[in-house]
Amino acid sequence: MRALILGGSSDANDLADAAAQLGLDAIYSYGGRTQAPAAQSLPTRAGGFGGAEGLADYIRQQRITHVVDATHPFAAEMSRNAIAACTATGTALIALERAPWQRTPQDNWIEVADVAAAAAALPERRARVFLAIGRQHLAPFRQKPQHAYTLRFVDPPEAVLPLPDASVIVSRGPFTLAGDLDLLRSCGIEWIVARNSGGAGARAKIDAARQLCLPVVMIARPALPDRPRTESIAEVLAFLGHDTPLGA
Ligand code: NAP
């Protein structure tokens, strides 16, 4: 057994810790987008493989027997490539994927299919908007240049932002409810745009929005072909042939 963990999420980091603790033969792969990714206890590589074919070549060269797609739920291109490459090479694949957040009766969500629809859902009158999305997804918000946008990135932006009124907070999660309540209040935020990432590390803004009765434009996850998936690290370890509970 030799595993490739497609990472870049907190779930992937937790899996890598567990796999390292058990002495499993596994490689952790980063997309290479952040300047200082979290250190891992497994051997690590970074950067694209060169599409599905490049990943298939890598799988063959490295004699990978199992692929775990533990990328962020919105990293759809990588997930599609993993499905194609594993099919082409006959490699076992599982996705470690957290459940999406569920709306509660106290939430004021406007649910949309993608980033373009999120921009369209913002009001026409000027508002202060917290855009909790990646920096590569800003372009659609050019159609609403009247808003004052607050953005939160892991790294400082390298290029000029495509929005005329945007301020950037550089911060790495996990975020807390108290911290996000403070951010929303101090910036006078009136609207939030978020992707339905699920998990604990990013949900503070959703809980804070509920407390402050703010509308959230919630972007649904991209659709992917069917693939085996689980939310459980123990199930991934069993998929990797390790049935012993951690700590046993
Ligand atoms: P994406 O759009 O699905 O992927 C674009 C390309 O980046 C892929 O085709 C692949 O290049 C490369 N790539 C992505 N993840 C990779 C990985 N783990 N290892 C090696 N190459 C990878 O992905 P994205 O949304 O840009 O996300 C990039 C990374 O950031 C992912 O690892 C993801 O887990 C992490 N991340 C993403 C988000 C998000 O909101 N999307 C949030 C937090 C963390 P090739 O085609 O050349 O192989």
Side-chain angles (χ1 to χ4, degrees):
M1 194 292 298
R2 184 155 209 237
L4 172 64
I5 299 172
L6 301 169
S9 67
S10 55
D11 295 332
N13 300 349
D14 292 344
L15 172 64
D17 284 347
Q21 208 181 315
L22 294 168
L24 300 187
D25 184 4
I27 302 168
Y28 186 106
S29 177
Y30 271 117
R33 291 217 197 272
T34 50
Q35 286 167 10
Q40 298 297 334
S41 31
L42 288 176
T44 302
R45 66 163 303 283
F49 298 95
E53 285 180 14
L55 176 57
D57 289 343
Y58 181 88
I59 287 170
R60 290 187 195 101
Q61 281 160 12
Q62 295 291 324
R63 301 182 186 284
I64 300 294
T65 58
H66 293 67
V67 173
V68 182
D69 178 1
T71 55
H72 187 273
F74 280 77
E77 196 177 335
M78 187 69 256
S79 294
R80 287 194 190 100
N81 290 348
I83 294 168
C86 287
T87 303
T89 56
T91 309
L93 169 69
I94 197 167
L96 176 61
E97 187 186 54
R98 50 187 124 132
W101 297 313
Q102 298 299 321
R103 171 191 205 136
T104 72
Q106 289 73 40
D107 285 308
N108 177 8
W109 288 7
I110 297 109
E111 293 179 82
V112 297
D114 54 30
V115 182
L122 288 177
E124 294 304 323
R125 66 155 186 89
R126 179 175 162 85
R128 285 183 294 273
V129 179
F130 180 35
L131 274 191
I133 61 174
R135 63 182 187 273
Q136 64 270 43
H137 305 294
L138 300 179
F141 294 91
R142 279 195 203 126
Q143 65 173 277
K144 294 276 172 72
Q146 65 270 44
H147 298 315
Y149 293 101
T150 298
L151 314 166
R152 181 161 64 188
F153 297 152
V154 175
D155 296 313
E158 286 165 358
V160 177
L161 297 172
L163 304 169
D165 185 351
S167 46
V168 174
I169 297 164
V170 178
S171 182
R172 186 190 289 259
F175 302 104
T176 64
L177 176 60
D180 277 3
L181 278 170
D182 187 46
L183 182 152
L184 297 179
R185 285 191 182 117
S186 62
C187 297
I189 298 296
E190 299 161 283
W191 283 73
I192 296 173
V193 178
R195 296 179 301 178
N196 198 336
S197 302
R203 72 165 297 137
K205 59 181 177 280
I206 308 303
D207 295 337
R210 185 182 309 123
Q211 284 201 16
L212 300 176
C213 300
L214 296 179
V216 177
V217 181
M218 184 64 82
I219 304 169
R221 294 181 177 187
L224 289 173
D226 272 347
R227 60 198 173 148
R229 61 168 291 280
T230 178
E231 291 176 43
S232 152
I233 286 180
E235 281 182 24
V236 174
L237 295 174
F239 162 81
L240 299 177
H242 203 290
D243 284 322
T244 311
L246 282 176

